[in-house]
Amino acid sequence: MVVFSVKPLFSILVVSLSLLLLLALLSPRSPFSGNSIPSDSPIAKVDIWSVRRLVEWRPCSWWLQGHLTALPSETNGYIRVDCYGGLNQMRRDFCDGVGIARLLNATLVLPKFEVASYWNETSGFADIYDVDYFIQQMNGFVKVVKQLPPEIASKEPVRVDCSKRKGHFDYVESVLPSLIEYKYISITPAMAQRRDRYPLYAKAALCQACYNALRLTKSLETKGSKLLQAIPKPFLSLHLRFEPDMVAYSQCEYPGLSPGSIKAIEAARSKISEDTGYVRKPWTGDLARTWRKRGKCPLTPNETALMLQSLSIPTSTNIYLAAGDGLMEIEGLTAIYTNVFTKSSLLDGEDFTRMHGNTKAALDYYVSINSDSYVATYFGNMDKMVSAMRAFKGLYKTLFLIRRAFAELTSQPQGLSDKELMEALWKVHKDDFVMGRGSALPDCFCEFKL
């Protein structure tokens, strides 16, 4: 008869249970591990990028599979797209123009970029983008020429007003007759295009132009690569908009600004008044509160720092500041996030001072589409282009800070505690990130459920 000793059996059982408990605690599947803490709580110490997404935006298959419809053998004429504003606004207008040219079976002439003292700008399309590469990539999508035929080259294009033309039939019915009659026209697409109404071959041309064909010149790519290498890794690219003209246009009031910032904003308001004949005075009283709650007011650097903290983005994060000249109140950010880098601090001083507005914007774009993560405080032209290009490259650590939510949460009559505010900001941004909202332009990208 075999007799088992109780004491050895008990010891073995205790040791076994201890080992199992230790493995459970260390396992990533453990309910006690960091992953088990609810993802809607910033107490979890999990940054926003660790949250599992449910939706991604990727290039639509109908675009990547090809241009769908062969180009007609005969052209209806030549179109030049005249582009105005900052670089990313001009890029948006040009992309729309490519779609319109394909829609009307026109040959595309290289665009005209505005030469504007306001933007400190003299560079043209060929100074920013690789022309030969663009023409090569657009082969089969739309006809593009560097030079016009001799019988047309000596003429200026006939200007056709497109300010109220936004859809497929608008252009076919109103612009095509002018193109056929004059053979050479110039257009500036209206801001709110109804691209969803374009036939797929026209949308494919637009998408190909915007995301596959517009490559920076070798000179600019070299500068961008040099800048990218100089930034400590990993890093977050932050597009912060709190320049004097931005604040002046917003018509928002900001108590507590420095005398220098107030003076700069007043100067910007005066300049806008001179240029437009419209005085943009800041809203007051109930109108000001309503305006702010609608998310119309740019975030200050200090508000931006608070929102980044609510997303559990560590204050030791390396941040590249993708911003224009004259950014105000930057100390509100750098006092909390101390590893902040700018173009002027990383590039050769003499080289930087020679750069114009479009060159600086191109470098910010290049760095931002190649950064480990990207956060924007606004949803402007650059942000739309960068987020779409990042989605095209498969980079999904992209987020837009929600000004409306911040305004609503900070203006509640009863007031929120710091912890309640942080948790509420976390939740609203987590919900956006999970669903991929704002990650790409839906005209060229399709939603994929994960």
Side-chain angles (χ1 to χ4, degrees):
M1 180 176 179
V2 179
V3 178
F4 290 96
S5 171
V6 174
K7 276 191 174 182
L9 280 173
F10 180 74
S11 300
I12 292 169
L13 183 63
V14 169
V15 171
S16 299
L17 287 171
S18 299
L19 287 171
L20 285 170
L21 180 61
L22 181 61
L23 286 170
L25 286 169
L26 294 175
S27 170
R29 296 184 181 87
S30 166
F32 301 102
S33 69
N35 290 340
S36 70
I37 300 172
S39 62
D40 59 354
S41 171
I43 299 172
K45 301 298 181 185
V46 174
D47 67 37
I48 191 69
W49 313 124
S50 301
V51 176
R52 181 178 175 273
R53 294 185 313 279
L54 298 179
V55 171
E56 283 181 354
W57 288 85
R58 301 174 188 171
C60 298
S61 58
W62 55 259
W63 161 37
L64 295 181
Q65 285 171 357
H67 33 79
L68 304 175
T69 304
L71 289 171
S73 57
E74 296 294 326
T75 180
N76 285 326
Y78 297 83
I79 288 181
R80 187 185 76 191
V81 185
D82 292 350
C83 306
Y84 302 89
L87 177 64
N88 292 289
Q89 180 180 333
M90 291 194 289
R91 176 176 176 149
R92 180 205 67 198
D93 289 347
F94 179 56
C95 292
D96 281 332
V98 172
I100 294 165
R102 179 64 184 93
L103 186 67
L104 302 181
N105 182 29
T107 299
L108 195 67
V109 180
L110 294 181
K112 178 184 178 183
F113 276 17
E114 175 190 34
V115 177
S117 58
Y118 179 83
W119 299 98
N120 185 26
E121 192 50 62
T122 58
S123 53
F125 179 81
D127 298 312
I128 303 295
Y129 297 111
D130 185 330
V131 172
D132 291 331
Y133 182 81
F134 177 77
I135 294 174
Q136 175 190 342
Q137 291 298 310
M138 293 311 298
N139 183 38
F141 285 89
V142 70
K143 295 176 183 175
V144 186
V145 295
K146 286 183 181 180
Q147 296 179 330
L148 290 162
E151 65 272 16
I152 297 178
S154 60
K155 302 176 183 177
E156 277 298 305
V158 174
R159 179 74 180 163
V160 178
D161 181 14
C162 291
S163 58
K164 296 180 181 179
R165 314 297 175 210
K166 300 180 180 180
H168 177 188
F169 294 107
D170 285 341
Y171 289 106
V172 171
E173 293 174 3
S174 303
V175 179
L176 182 58
S178 297
L179 175 66
I180 292 172
E181 179 180 358
Y182 298 109
K183 293 300 180 184
Y184 182 28
I185 65 172
S186 68
I187 62 169
T188 300
M191 287 184 65
Q193 292 292 307
R194 293 303 308 269
R195 306 177 192 91
D196 57 314
R197 298 180 179 178
Y198 286 8
L200 285 185
Y201 62 81
K203 289 208 301 188
L206 183 156
C207 298
Q208 176 72 0
C210 238
Y211 305 112
N212 246 351
L214 284 176
R215 185 175 72 181
L216 297 180
T217 63
K218 289 183 180 178
S219 172
L220 270 180
E221 279 212 340
T222 300
K223 286 182 181 178
S225 180
K226 179 182 176 183
L227 180 57
L228 193 63
Q229 289 173 8
I231 304 169
K233 311 296 187 300
F235 75 98
L236 178 153
S237 180
L238 176 65
H239 189 210
L240 181 57
R241 299 300 312 272
F242 202 69
E243 303 94 343
D245 60 325
M246 187 74 176
V247 175
Y249 269 112
S250 74
Q251 297 182 270
C252 297
E253 278 278 57
Y254 292 87
L257 295 183
S258 68
S261 295
I262 294 171
K263 185 177 179 181
I265 294 167
E266 288 301 324
R269 285 194 182 118
S270 298
K271 181 72 167 63
I272 292 168
S273 177
E274 290 174 11
D275 292 344
T276 65
Y278 175 67
V279 179
R280 300 187 75 88
K281 291 182 179 179
W283 300 110
T284 58
D286 288 340
L287 283 174
R289 285 186 285 274
T290 301
W291 192 247
R292 184 171 289 276
K293 283 185 179 181
R294 289 175 60 191
K296 299 296 185 181
C297 297
L299 293 169
T300 69
N302 184 252
E303 291 169 342
T304 301
L306 173 66
M307 294 182 80
L308 292 178
Q309 285 180 293
S310 77
L311 303 177
S312 296
I313 293 176
T315 55
S316 59
T317 300
N318 296 315
I319 295 178
Y320 172 77
L321 203 57
D325 298 331
L327 195 63
M328 304 182 297
E329 307 290 317
I330 190 59
E331 298 80 8
L333 174 70
T334 56
I336 299 170
Y337 286 85
T338 53
N339 297 327
V340 176
F341 303 89
T342 62
K343 293 183 291 296
S344 58
S345 67
L346 295 170
L347 293 174
D348 176 76
E350 185 178 344
D351 191 30
F352 180 76
T353 54
R354 287 200 302 266
M355 290 183 186
H356 294 289
N358 280 350
T359 304
K360 293 176 182 178
L363 291 179
D364 281 343
Y365 171 83
Y366 182 86
V367 170
S368 296
I369 65 171
N370 289 293
S371 61
D372 298 284
S373 52
Y374 178 76
V375 173
T377 63
Y378 207 70
F379 194 49
N381 292 311
M382 172 172 166
D383 308 304
K384 294 171 185 175
M385 290 293 177
V386 167
S387 65
M389 200 64 197
R390 287 178 64 82
F392 180 72
K393 290 162 65 76
L395 302 173
Y396 291 101
K397 291 184 179 181
T398 303
L399 194 69
F400 299 98
L401 300 183
I402 307 170
R403 302 187 307 279
R404 174 178 284 189
F406 182 82
E408 289 176 347
L409 291 167
T410 54
S411 63
Q412 293 185 12
Q414 69 274 20
L416 296 174
S417 68
D418 289 346
K419 180 181 176 182
E420 289 172 330
L421 177 60
M422 289 288 206
E423 289 181 341
L425 287 170
W426 169 271
K427 185 179 187 308
V428 73
H429 285 92
K430 185 210 72 168
D431 291 347
D432 261 20
F433 183 69
V434 164
M435 298 308 297
R437 295 191 188 107
S439 293
L441 300 179
D443 307 299
C444 302
F445 294 79
C446 294
E447 187 178 272
F448 284 78
K449 289 182 169 55
L450 301 177

